[in-house]
Amino acid sequence: MKWLSGTADADYGDDRGYMVTNPSGVGCRRSGIDIAKQILKEAILQHFDIETLHLVSSHAFKIADLGCSVGPNTFSVVENIIESISIKLQYNGYDFDKFEFQVFFNDHVFNDFNTLFKSLPVDKTYYAAGVPGSFHGRLFPKSSIHFIHSSYALQWLSRVPKEILDKDSPAFNKGKIFFSTSPKKVELAYSAQFAEDMACFLNSRALELVSGGLMTLLFPSTTLNCKNRMTAAIDMFGDVLLDIASKGKISEELVDSFNMPQYFPSPEELKLLIESDGNFSIQKMEPIVRPLTTEINVKSIVLHFRAAWQGMLKDHFGGDIMDEAFEQFYNKMVESAIWTDSSYQRSGELFLVLKRKFV
Amino acid sequence: MKWLSGTADADYGDDRGYMVTNPSGVGCRRSGIDIAKQILKEAILQHFDIETLHLVSSHAFKIADLGCSVGPNTFSVVENIIESISIKLQYNGYDFDKFEFQVFFNDHVFNDFNTLFKSLPVDKTYYAAGVPGSFHGRLFPKSSIHFIHSSYALQWLSRVPKEILDKDSPAFNKGKIFFSTSPKKVELAYSAQFAEDMACFLNSRALELVSGGLMTLLFPSTTLNCKNRMTAAIDMFGDVLLDIASKGKISEELVDSFNMPQYFPSPEELKLLIESDGNFSIQKMEPIVRPLTTEINVKSIVLHFRAAWQGMLKDHFGGDIMDEAFEQFYNKMVESAIWTDSSYQRSGELFLVLKRKFV
């Protein structure tokens, strides 16, 4: 099982969304982004309105990618955005060459910005800046950004809900690391935390985005009351941790004090949160339909889970159990019915186009 | 001599100007910056004009620190700039709380931005962004910055002048690593490279700074035809490298192919370059007068030189000779007359305030 330590040094922060949202084949995040690329282009052509943004006087267009990680996906998305805006400008008779683009790459402060900066495309057509900090708070001055994008990042919660870590709470998540097979109260705690985070996110973005500015979000999403491969896999990993605890290698308390800080909202839930915020109009909210892959490569899936989770897991459990945990996880995944049982839904993805209302 | 390897892992890029400009006591760069702080504040109070910058409508003030390194000096300078602007705003009857600040921290792409971002003050009063890239080229969109500052960075050349590395050129710098005791042709090659770099710098900044925007520069500088401690020290280090070559540990060709990529212009030279560019009016150009330190700590001076140079030296000579080179350098420095001979000028520093002319 040598291969399982292949990503042993991968940084949790560097690619935290990778495959977590898409545990059904190698490169699915990339594939999701490729499909989103076309939808993103169509969204810009349809909804982007240069006149309302006062761009003709300044000629400087500011783009932000929130939760950018270290590339290269972020570079590809940014190029797509600029290319799409270019088409729209030329279509409307503007001289594209007069416009300049400034791109703000944002991720949390522990992201490897050094790697991001060294990987910037040599032939990039924009001025680049890195912005460290949580997108659950303010990142930019008021009305200073024209276009905001975020791929596979908003599912990460700002924290694990307090009550599911509290032994005395009815929402205590005993013996689990996720909410999908836990009592309803646990799911509600997760959902409430997501709502709180989303409110902070939308409120901050509403201040930073110019009136009429666009925000495109690529989101992992689940349909309520459906079995789902992704959530089932996370639950399996929770079982692995309990197995290791039962051998005395870690304590059960340590497992109980760990919960996966992710939430996959339903489209209905997202719609309510955006409407409740009130600052954005939903221009588009549609599922991303990816082609079915015929072959499932569990080895790659586990490798990608490891790359995405390991930093976070090491912080909580220490490094000693990592190899054993991911080997057991692999074995469980290979034996699992989730790949063959058609009642398991593939993880869903949503693409949202929001427009900042005029103030 | 264990202490000499105390900074063995210091990154050349992290503190590249440290003490190079000020080899006369511990913490002199800091001291220079502290004195510059007061001058900077006075310059802002005197020359900063909010009405001309169209700030009252946008309330967003953009500051850039070019050659910021990893902090903490850059944070202190930025706070000083914001504090000074705040005083000026309040003095003119504006509500400071309405204004927001965005600070762009720039350095070359190999700078450790991860450390910079993790060190950002918790209570900072601005939105921070990192901008990787050479300040000899463009870094920001047109007319997007209101205030530019740079401390102890512009003395670094974009490259060593080609002709001084060319054996067949009359400007070949045989047996030397700097120009101060070389034939006039070598000095002219250095000076020409500095002029070219400064032209690129001024041209880029003229495009990026709004009309009426200020640029403050803190600069190491020399008076023509004067003996100078700093340049003498660099020459001494060149002698050390030749000594090591004479023992066969490195080749003479390797020493000949290394030259220190720094230049310390005279005030007259700088004035000519700025006037020749034509985009900036010189509001102030004055030497920084630092209090004389009575005690010279050669050990600290050599340590700081090592921190500043080691990355660059390792790239060229490999790591093996570092300990020996800095031990010999220390011995030479201790025995040197430059600390006691009053004909040696202390390194000079210049503070410049430039205003972007209106276009």
Side-chain angles (χ1 to χ4, degrees):
Chain A
M1 296 296 284
K2 190 70 185 159
W3 61 269
L4 272 179
S5 53
T7 54
D9 293 326
D11 178 6
Y12 154 55
D14 289 352
D15 207 353
R16 55 185 183 173
Y18 203 100
M19 288 299 296
V20 176
T21 56
N22 255 318
S24 52
V26 183
C28 282
R29 183 188 176 198
R30 178 83 210 176
S31 163
I33 286 173
D34 283 344
I35 295 154
K37 194 171 168 175
Q38 186 54 34
I39 304 179
L40 183 58
K41 182 173 272 181
E42 286 166 17
I44 289 172
L45 295 181
Q46 195 178 345
H47 300 288
F48 168 65
D49 183 2
I50 181 174
E51 276 82 5
T52 61
L53 302 180
H54 304 292
L55 279 172
V56 181
S57 56
S58 78
H59 293 109
F61 194 87
K62 318 278 178 77
I63 297 165
D65 184 7
L66 309 184
C68 63
S69 187
V70 296
N73 287 335
T74 183
F75 305 132
S76 151
V77 168
V78 160
E79 274 160 31
N80 185 34
I81 292 169
I82 293 178
E83 191 187 311
S84 307
I85 291 169
S86 142
I87 294 170
K88 181 84 185 218
L89 287 172
Q90 285 165 1
Y91 180 79
N92 286 358
Y94 293 105
D95 181 1
F96 174 67
D97 292 337
K98 277 192 179 171
F99 288 81
E100 290 187 320
F101 293 83
Q102 187 172 32
V103 178
F104 295 92
F105 295 97
N106 156 260
D107 214 315
H108 56 79
V109 75
F110 297 105
N111 186 51
D112 186 357
F113 283 95
N114 289 348
T115 297
L116 175 81
F117 287 166
K118 283 174 201 150
S119 320
L120 279 164
V122 179
D123 58 349
K124 67 186 169 57
T125 55
Y126 51 84
Y127 299 102
V131 173
S134 164
F135 52 54
H136 293 120
R138 288 287 302 281
L139 296 166
F140 308 102
K142 281 179 195 152
S143 299
S144 67
I145 305 287
H146 300 96
F147 194 101
I148 291 172
H149 180 76
S150 182
S151 283
Y152 298 92
L154 278 166
Q155 76 274 19
W156 287 93
L157 300 174
S158 66
R159 61 172 187 194
V160 169
K162 275 183 203 161
E163 52 272 52
I164 70 171
L165 297 171
D166 176 4
K167 281 182 185 171
D168 300 325
S169 160
F172 180 51
N173 201 18
K174 175 85 186 146
K176 303 278 179 190
I177 64 163
F178 204 48
F179 62 87
S180 47
T181 57
S182 301
K184 190 73 185 168
K185 282 202 163 75
V186 176
E187 184 179 344
L188 288 175
Y190 262 94
S191 161
Q193 184 61 52
F194 179 77
E196 186 186 317
D197 286 348
M198 199 65 190
C200 293
F201 177 84
L202 291 172
N203 196 270
S204 297
R205 301 299 85 75
L207 289 167
E208 295 163 355
L209 203 58
V210 299
S211 290
L214 288 188
M215 178 151 74
T216 52
L217 305 174
L218 191 56
F219 236 106
S221 162
T222 55
T223 309
L224 290 173
N225 306 319
C226 272
K227 290 200 283 188
N228 179 294
R229 283 180 182 172
M230 178 170 49
T231 56
I234 298 177
D235 283 328
M236 257 185 262
F237 195 80
D239 293 341
V240 165
L241 291 172
L242 280 180
D243 283 352
I244 295 175
S246 72
K247 293 176 198 156
K249 295 185 180 173
I250 49 174
S251 70
E252 263 190 47
E253 286 71 26
L254 202 61
V255 180
D256 286 340
S257 62
F258 176 79
N259 283 272
M260 196 63 82
Q262 287 196 26
Y263 184 75
F264 313 114
S266 70
E268 298 75 18
E269 214 172 347
L270 263 181
K271 192 165 178 284
L272 269 178
L273 292 173
I274 293 161
E275 285 172 353
S276 149
D277 172 77
N279 288 303
F280 297 91
S281 59
I282 300 175
Q283 307 286 301
K284 188 176 284 219
M285 180 187 273
E286 62 181 40
I288 292 192
V289 182
R290 288 181 292 111
L292 282 166
T293 48
T294 47
E295 200 181 326
I296 301 293
N297 186 337
V298 178
K299 188 169 155 180
S300 291
I301 295 170
V302 173
L303 259 182
H304 286 298
F305 271 121
R306 185 166 185 165
W309 296 348
Q310 178 155 287
M312 174 179 59
L313 292 169
K314 265 187 174 173
D315 283 350
H316 192 88
F317 295 101
D320 292 348
I321 64 155
M322 288 302 113
D323 284 345
E324 184 177 350
F326 281 96
E327 280 176 29
Q328 280 199 37
F329 184 43
Y330 172 74
N331 294 335
K332 269 191 192 293
M333 290 276 271
V334 166
E335 291 157 12
S336 165
I338 64 173
W339 314 111
T340 47
D341 182 344
S342 61
S343 70
Y344 275 90
Q345 189 197 34
R346 296 183 54 176
S347 59
E349 290 153 82
L350 269 184
F351 181 75
L352 273 80
V353 181
L354 307 182
K355 186 174 261 191
R356 176 68 175 101
K357 290 180 183 168
F358 286 84
V359 281
Chain B
M1 297 296 286
K2 191 71 185 160
W3 59 270
L4 272 178
S5 53
T7 55
D9 292 327
D11 178 5
Y12 154 54
D14 288 353
D15 207 353
R16 54 184 185 175
Y18 204 100
M19 288 300 296
V20 177
T21 56
N22 256 318
S24 52
V26 184
C28 282
R29 182 186 176 200
R30 178 82 210 176
S31 162
I33 286 173
D34 283 345
I35 295 155
K37 195 171 167 175
Q38 186 54 34
I39 304 180
L40 183 59
K41 183 172 270 180
E42 285 166 16
I44 290 172
L45 296 181
Q46 195 178 345
H47 300 288
F48 169 65
D49 182 3
I50 182 174
E51 276 81 5
T52 62
L53 301 181
H54 304 292
L55 280 171
V56 180
S57 55
S58 78
H59 292 109
F61 193 86
K62 318 278 179 75
I63 297 165
D65 184 7
L66 310 184
C68 62
S69 188
V70 297
N73 286 336
T74 184
F75 305 132
S76 150
V77 168
V78 159
E79 274 160 30
N80 185 33
I81 292 170
I82 293 177
E83 191 187 312
S84 306
I85 291 169
S86 141
I87 294 170
K88 181 85 185 217
L89 287 171
Q90 285 166 359
Y91 180 79
N92 285 358
Y94 292 105
D95 182 0
F96 175 67
D97 291 338
K98 278 192 177 170
F99 288 81
E100 290 187 320
F101 293 84
Q102 187 172 33
V103 179
F104 295 92
F105 295 97
N106 156 261
D107 214 315
H108 55 81
V109 74
F110 298 105
N111 186 52
D112 187 356
F113 283 95
N114 289 348
T115 297
L116 175 81
F117 287 166
K118 283 174 200 150
S119 320
L120 279 164
V122 179
D123 58 350
K124 68 185 167 59
T125 54
Y126 49 86
Y127 298 103
V131 173
S134 163
F135 51 53
H136 293 122
R138 289 286 303 280
L139 297 165
F140 309 102
K142 282 179 195 152
S143 299
S144 67
I145 305 287
H146 300 96
F147 193 102
I148 290 173
H149 179 76
S150 182
S151 284
Y152 298 91
L154 278 165
Q155 75 275 19
W156 288 92
L157 300 174
S158 66
R159 63 173 186 192
V160 170
K162 275 183 201 160
E163 54 271 48
I164 69 171
L165 296 170
D166 177 4
K167 280 182 187 173
D168 301 325
S169 160
F172 181 50
N173 201 18
K174 175 84 185 148
K176 302 278 178 189
I177 63 163
F178 204 47
F179 63 86
S180 47
T181 56
S182 302
K184 191 72 185 170
K185 281 201 163 75
V186 176
E187 185 179 343
L188 288 175
Y190 263 94
S191 160
Q193 184 62 51
F194 180 77
E196 187 185 317
D197 287 348
M198 200 63 192
C200 294
F201 177 83
L202 291 172
N203 196 268
S204 297
R205 300 302 83 76
L207 288 166
E208 295 162 357
L209 203 58
V210 299
S211 290
L214 288 189
M215 178 151 74
T216 51
L217 305 174
L218 191 55
F219 236 106
S221 163
T222 55
T223 310
L224 289 173
N225 306 318
C226 273
K227 289 200 283 187
N228 179 295
R229 284 181 182 172
M230 177 170 50
T231 57
I234 299 178
D235 283 328
M236 257 185 264
F237 195 80
D239 293 341
V240 164
L241 291 172
L242 279 180
D243 283 351
I244 294 175
S246 72
K247 292 177 198 155
K249 294 185 179 173
I250 50 174
S251 71
E252 263 189 46
E253 286 72 26
L254 202 62
V255 180
D256 286 339
S257 62
F258 177 79
N259 283 271
M260 196 63 81
Q262 287 197 27
Y263 184 74
F264 314 113
S266 69
E268 297 76 18
E269 215 172 346
L270 264 181
K271 193 164 177 281
L272 269 178
L273 292 172
I274 293 161
E275 285 172 353
S276 149
D277 172 78
N279 288 303
F280 296 91
S281 59
I282 301 175
Q283 307 286 300
K284 188 177 284 221
M285 179 186 275
E286 62 180 40
I288 292 191
V289 181
R290 288 181 292 112
L292 282 167
T293 48
T294 47
E295 201 181 325
I296 301 293
N297 186 337
V298 178
K299 188 169 155 180
S300 292
I301 294 170
V302 173
L303 261 180
H304 287 298
F305 271 121
R306 185 166 185 165
W309 296 347
Q310 179 156 285
M312 175 177 61
L313 292 169
K314 265 186 174 172
D315 284 350
H316 192 88
F317 296 101
D320 292 347
I321 64 155
M322 288 303 112
D323 283 346
E324 184 177 349
F326 280 96
E327 278 175 28
Q328 280 199 35
F329 183 43
Y330 171 73
N331 293 335
K332 269 192 192 291
M333 290 274 271
V334 166
E335 291 158 13
S336 166
I338 63 173
W339 314 110
T340 47
D341 182 345
S342 61
S343 69
Y344 276 90
Q345 189 198 33
R346 296 183 54 177
S347 59
E349 289 153 82
L350 270 183
F351 182 75
L352 272 79
V353 181
L354 306 182
K355 186 174 261 191
R356 175 70 175 101
K357 290 180 183 169
F358 286 84
V359 282

